[in-house]
Amino acid sequence: QVHMVESGGGLVQAGGSLRLSCAASGRTFGNYIMGWFRQAPGKQREFVAHIGWSTSSTAYADSVKGRFTISKDNAKNTHYLQMNSLKPEDTAVYYCAARLGRSGSAYEYWGQGTQVTVSS
């Protein structure tokens, strides 16, 4: 059974930083894409960033480009989201997820989410 567990959320002032971690277990992810999503109150879940587990290729939402960095540690089966220059509008529950690295694949594995709150 696949498990994805986020950690690292919390309360931070605007301009501060947080690093989220997502520990994955239960299968190998060699041909997967590992992503981060977020959902703010009253809004739909939105894509934040993703990284190819074997390719290391990355993609970011325009709203976080230049501020957030996604990375991974294959040996630890963990991927990360370094969030710098945080803004109040970054406040949301952040979820990690995984999908096959194939065009059209849906994210099939999800974590439980971790709260990030940015105060002004």
Side-chain angles (χ1 to χ4, degrees):
Q1 188 173 0
V2 174
H3 291 281
M4 302 188 70
V5 181
E6 303 98 337
S7 60
L11 173 65
V12 64
Q13 287 189 328
S17 299
L18 282 174
R19 188 175 85 152
L20 306 183
S21 301
C22 177
S25 62
R27 66 160 300 133
T28 57
F29 292 94
N31 57 342
Y32 272 68
I33 289 176
M34 315 302 282
W36 286 98
F37 289 76
R38 67 186 182 186
Q39 188 167 19
K43 295 188 176 181
Q44 288 190 326
R45 187 174 299 185
E46 64 175 1
F47 168 78
V48 175
H50 76 219
I51 186 166
W53 196 251
S54 57
T55 67
S56 298
S57 64
T58 60
Y60 296 90
D62 287 344
S63 59
V64 307
K65 276 181 186 175
R67 300 188 298 122
F68 291 11
T69 302
I70 190 170
S71 63
K72 61 183 175 67
D73 184 332
N74 289 31
K76 294 182 178 179
N77 248 20
T78 299
H79 66 286
Y80 307 94
L81 186 68
Q82 178 66 45
M83 307 185 294
N84 298 329
S85 302
L86 282 161
K87 304 175 181 180
E89 52 263 44
D90 294 317
T91 295
V93 177
Y94 284 70
Y95 300 88
C96 63
R99 67 172 177 88
L100 278 170
R102 178 189 307 158
S103 179
S105 293
Y107 281 89
E108 58 182 303
Y109 303 119
W110 292 86
Q112 82 288 350
T114 186
Q115 176 71 46
V116 171
T117 302
V118 184
S119 64
S120 57

